[in-house]
Amino acid sequence: MCIQLSFVGIYLEFLFRYNSPLLNTIYLLIMISIACQSILKSSNLKIKHFFIPVFLSLLIPFVIILFFFNAVVVKIDNLFEAKYLIPIGGMLLGNCLRSIIIGLSRFYSGIKKDEKVYLYSISLMGNQISALKPYFKESFIGAITPTIASMATIGLVALPGMMTGQILGGSVPVVAIKYQIAIMFSIFYTEYFSTILSVLFSLKVGFNDMDVLNHDIFISKN
């Protein structure tokens, strides 16, 4: 952790100094790629099968919400300005990891565990989506619940990082609170849509043409 943060600190000085939209964009794509690898490794799913679906599920809501936050909340002219783009992008990505890991791992491990029940449901309903609904619901609720619980206790149990940083930097507490509310909603919606899309985008590689679970998608524990 210390080594990683030290290198990032040096590199961020370089990014902030040159403030190149191209370099900033490349760095964000690298951040998303590293996040995808971490998600899949923790979810016990093979990177070669799931990297592109998870990458897209992160990229789409991340880009939309990040630029919306910078344009509407922060109201900056240059939406690619490094000192806003990278720190805020890092907060969004960092908080998405847990939700997507829980969502993907619960979804596929649940189907693997109850595969006979899943296949029986398909035979009764004649539709894969209907058979997958219980597993999707369980995985989605498990992924989002920790974030909702955290939002419910913010300000009562702990003061969040963005608000604390702004107060220490000299901002008026009311202004700091407004930014913290905005970033918490941004984090929640990024997690919400990323978790949904990660499951939906992965269905094509997670199941074969007969809607049967592909067992070669899991990382062997041997």
Side-chain angles (χ1 to χ4, degrees):
M1 179 195 68
C2 295
I3 294 173
Q4 288 175 181
L5 288 175
S6 299
F7 278 113
V8 168
I10 295 172
Y11 188 65
L12 286 181
E13 286 189 7
F14 170 80
L15 287 179
F16 290 173
R17 186 182 307 118
Y18 287 94
N19 200 24
S20 166
L22 178 61
L23 290 177
N24 297 341
T25 302
I26 292 173
Y27 187 69
L28 283 180
L29 292 176
I30 292 173
M31 289 170 64
I32 296 174
S33 299
I34 294 172
C36 289
Q37 294 183 41
S38 177
I39 288 168
L40 294 175
K41 184 177 180 181
S42 299
S43 302
N44 196 37
L45 298 170
K46 290 184 179 178
I47 295 176
K48 66 178 181 179
H49 293 296
F50 286 89
F51 182 83
I52 293 178
V54 174
F55 184 89
L56 292 176
S57 71
L58 268 173
L59 180 66
I60 295 172
F62 171 77
V63 169
I64 294 173
I65 293 173
L66 174 60
F67 284 111
F68 177 83
F69 186 90
N70 286 343
V72 177
V73 179
V74 184
K75 296 180 181 179
I76 57 176
D77 296 326
N78 179 14
L79 296 180
F80 290 89
E81 190 167 347
K83 69 177 182 178
Y84 295 103
L85 189 72
I86 294 172
I88 295 173
M91 282 190 284
L92 296 180
L93 278 179
N95 286 277
C96 281
L97 293 179
R98 179 182 60 185
S99 295
I100 300 179
I101 289 170
I102 295 173
L104 282 175
S105 60
R106 284 197 180 186
F107 181 76
Y108 284 102
S109 64
I111 296 174
K112 183 180 180 181
K113 180 181 178 182
D114 299 329
E115 189 169 6
K116 290 182 178 180
V117 177
Y118 160 71
L119 293 174
Y120 182 66
S121 298
I122 289 182
S123 67
L124 288 178
M125 302 174 184
N127 185 284
Q128 185 194 29
I129 300 301
S130 298
L132 290 175
K133 278 184 179 179
Y135 304 98
F136 179 77
K137 181 180 179 180
E138 181 183 354
S139 63
F140 181 72
I141 291 175
I144 297 299
T145 299
T147 301
I148 295 176
S150 176
M151 291 175 70
T153 57
I154 282 181
L156 299 175
V157 177
L159 296 179
M162 186 175 190
M163 173 183 166
T164 303
Q166 285 193 313
I167 292 174
L168 292 175
S171 296
V172 178
V174 174
V175 175
I177 289 170
K178 289 180 180 179
Y179 277 107
Q180 185 61 51
I181 292 172
I183 195 64
M184 286 306 301
F185 277 116
S186 298
I187 289 170
F188 175 77
Y189 285 119
T190 305
E191 289 184 14
Y192 182 92
F193 289 110
S194 294
T195 303
I196 293 175
L197 293 178
S198 65
V199 174
L200 294 179
F201 287 174
S202 67
L203 293 180
K204 188 173 181 180
V205 296
F207 299 85
N208 61 23
D209 295 335
M210 302 296 294
D211 296 336
V212 177
L213 181 67
N214 288 326
H215 287 270
D216 62 346
I217 62 174
F218 298 99
I219 298 174
S220 177
K221 294 183 179 180
N222 295 331

